[in-house]
Amino acid sequence: GIQVEQSPPDLILQEGANSTLRCNFSDSVNNLQWFHQNPWGQLINLFYIPSGTKQNGRLSATTVATERYSLLYISSSQTTDSGVYFCAAASNTNAGKSTFGDGTTLTVKP
Amino acid sequence: GAVVSQHPSRVICKSGTSVKIECRSLDFQATTMFWYRQFPKQSLMLMATSNEGSKATYEQGVEKDKFLINHASLTLSTLTVTSAHPEDSSFYICSARDPGPNTEAFFGQGTRLTVV
């Protein structure tokens, strides 16, 4: 199956700073998503981005499918951005099952 | 985006009892749903794929007789944890996709199971 690696595992920022989270995947994918898991465990869909670039407010994401990586950018971070960020990848050769990375735990300090 | 609803959000049960968790796709039909488990400070691990009208397929190491999955309609899949033990305490979360290739997966709110 697909292997998904995220880096860094932990990230501590001062409020207002920018950050880049990385997701590498081992095989061709046709589905790549970024999630933020809130303190109650709920997965919040951030981006569905199998390729290309998308932006939503202070967040943006880029996937370079040919090079098997995706990046999540957080600008002007806020304390409410704290939490765990997961990427998940899937391919039709694996029956559409999503494989999650181990996540990046982001802590934004005031 | 599409909505996947999971119920209950929290459940506490006694050892030896069974617990049923429901996963519903509210505004689309899902021929396939997925069940994940997440232990504290860990990632989400796929347990099984729920297929409407047929048997679920389980990932290696997941006991199919302990985690019963039923996908009786295009909008509902259920996971029953049978004869629960404290080590089954975990966060269980389901997901569903719109039919067709290259579609986004939507996740339920998750169920935190505590077995005492």
Side-chain angles (χ1 to χ4, degrees):
Chain A
I2 300 170
Q3 306 297 315
V4 179
E5 292 184 356
Q6 289 186 245
S7 60
D10 298 281
L11 186 57
I12 300 175
L13 300 175
Q14 209 63 36
E15 198 169 27
N18 302 328
S19 62
T20 301
L21 282 59
R22 187 176 181 101
C23 173
N24 293 334
F25 40 92
S26 62
D27 206 347
S28 299
V29 300
N30 48 27
N31 182 306
L32 192 291
Q33 293 181 247
W34 283 97
F35 300 91
H36 178 208
Q37 188 167 39
N38 66 21
W40 298 272
Q42 188 174 3
L43 285 175
I44 310 298
N45 282 35
L46 297 178
F47 293 102
Y48 168 67
I49 187 164
S51 64
T53 297
K54 289 185 178 179
Q55 181 162 4
N56 184 3
R58 295 182 296 104
L59 303 181
S60 63
T62 296
T63 296
V64 184
T66 53
E67 297 187 20
R68 299 181 183 172
Y69 73 88
S70 183
L71 302 174
L72 177 68
Y73 305 98
I74 304 174
S75 64
S76 304
S77 58
Q78 301 175 358
T79 56
T80 51
D81 295 331
S82 297
V84 184
Y85 289 80
F86 288 105
C87 72
S91 75
N92 282 342
T93 58
N94 198 27
K97 304 174 188 178
S98 291
T99 299
F100 281 76
D102 287 340
T104 292
T105 300
L106 174 65
T107 303
V108 181
K109 295 188 172 181
Chain B
V3 177
V4 174
S5 177
Q6 193 172 335
H7 178 81
S9 58
R10 287 181 178 273
V11 58
I12 301 173
C13 71
K14 292 184 179 180
S15 275
T17 61
S18 296
V19 173
K20 181 186 285 188
I21 302 169
E22 294 186 348
C23 179
R24 295 181 184 273
S25 57
L26 296 186
D27 48 5
F28 66 99
Q29 295 183 331
T31 55
T32 303
M33 292 185 177
F34 302 92
W35 287 95
Y36 294 82
R37 178 168 53 184
Q38 184 182 30
F39 291 108
K41 308 287 187 185
Q42 295 187 23
S43 187
L44 283 77
M45 299 301 295
L46 181 66
M47 298 175 66
T49 302
S50 172
N51 304 296
E52 187 270 335
S54 65
K55 291 182 180 180
T57 53
Y58 292 81
E59 296 300 300
Q60 192 171 7
V62 178
E63 300 175 56
K64 62 180 181 180
D65 294 331
K66 181 167 188 61
F67 299 100
L68 301 180
I69 291 173
N70 184 285
H71 193 154
S73 78
L74 288 172
T75 58
L76 174 64
S77 174
T78 60
L79 169 68
T80 301
V81 183
T82 63
S83 188
H85 291 283
E87 57 265 32
D88 298 324
S89 298
S90 188
F91 189 65
Y92 294 86
I93 191 164
C94 68
S95 78
R97 299 174 187 276
D98 278 327
N102 305 338
T103 59
E104 184 175 357
F106 296 93
F107 285 77
Q109 306 95 314
T111 297
R112 192 163 301 282
L113 170 64
T114 303
V115 184
V116 297

